Amino acid sequence: MTTSADRPRRALVTGASSGIGAATVRRLRADGWDVVATARRGERLAALAQETGAETVVADLTRDADVGALVAHVRDTGGLDAVVNNAGGAFGQDTVEGGDLEQWRAMYEINVLGTLRVVQGVLPLLRERGAGDVVVVTSTAAHGAYPGGAGYTGAKHAERMLATTLRWELVGEPIRVVEIAPGAVATEEFSLVRFGGDAERAAQVYEGYQPLVADDVADTIAWSLSRPPHVNVDLLVVRPRAQANNTTIARTGV
């Protein structure tokens, strides 16, 4: 995919060291994009760069200085056409009464404030380009509640409101704001991190049905970015066929 200047479009993908982020880097590179991949884990980014040819920047999005350096690097090395705000995560599945304040704080810091830092940093770069795309990967947790999920659903609802409000605030500018809200996605780390490394408990989340995989979500992100400039995909919810909502899954073995 190229711009009118016949150069590849350039995207920044956050949370790129694994899962949906890494899959999105692979998909965009396959589609001809230049990609800047960022995450905290440098060794994983290095492997992804070797595999895909993506450029990488190690950054912790909960640190103002890291985000500032990331934005400066993107500005100084060619600018930006799109950002995919994918970095995020869930920690624990406690009740509200028993919720761990530090886990809640961590979820708000990465899912909400991390996205806010990046969006604030890159909007001037998109405006310099004359047009651009802001993709925010939320979750079906941003659109409903479930027992034990208030910390994560609260953070994702806030991230959803960030995206929705930004779209309204930018009306009239040639910048699209897209929300992608995946349901159950089996990646190598999401549930494992959520349950503190308990592999058995993490595996149970996906037993008895076919969940989405990271490539499924990367496909939806790439599709939304490939629409004609006048088309804005406000919200795309993508779930496994077996999942009706956050708490109803047909575990039929297929």
Side-chain angles (χ1 to χ4, degrees), residues 65-179:
D66 280 20
V67 175
L70 171 64
V71 172
H73 173 84
V74 173
R75 182 190 63 234
D76 295 343
T77 57
L80 197 65
D81 296 286
V83 60
V84 179
N85 293 282
N86 166 74
F91 307 107
Q93 201 171 27
D94 299 329
T95 63
V96 171
E97 182 179 11
D100 184 309
L101 288 176
E102 289 306 312
Q103 288 186 337
W104 280 51
R105 184 174 289 110
M107 285 187 279
Y108 277 81
E109 188 66 53
I110 186 57
N111 290 285
V112 185
L113 299 183
T115 298
L116 178 62
R117 288 184 181 92
V118 171
V119 169
Q120 288 178 336
V122 304
L123 274 176
L125 306 185
L126 299 178
R127 289 189 174 113
E128 287 175 12
R129 204 65 122 195
D133 295 297
V134 176
V135 177
V136 180
V137 181
T138 61
S139 166
T140 54
H143 297 265
Y146 56 89
Y152 183 57
T153 60
K156 285 300 185 182
H157 273 72
E159 190 178 25
R160 171 191 168 200
M161 287 298 99
L162 184 160
T164 301
T165 305
L166 179 66
R167 186 182 304 114
W168 295 359
E169 291 171 347
L170 295 182
V171 66
E173 296 190 48
I175 297 175
R176 304 186 296 189
V177 181
V178 177
E179 179 189 352

Side-chain angles (χ1 to χ4, degrees), residues 3-47:
T3 67
S4 58
D6 198 31
R7 56 165 174 75
R9 295 183 74 191
R10 193 178 194 216
L12 170 65
V13 179
T14 72
S17 61
S18 66
I20 293 169
T24 300
V25 171
R26 294 185 183 100
R27 174 57 188 270
L28 293 182
R29 287 293 295 149
D31 287 352
W33 288 70
D34 285 343
V35 178
V36 180
T38 188
R40 292 178 295 108
R41 294 177 291 186
E43 71 286 353
R44 285 181 174 244
L45 288 179

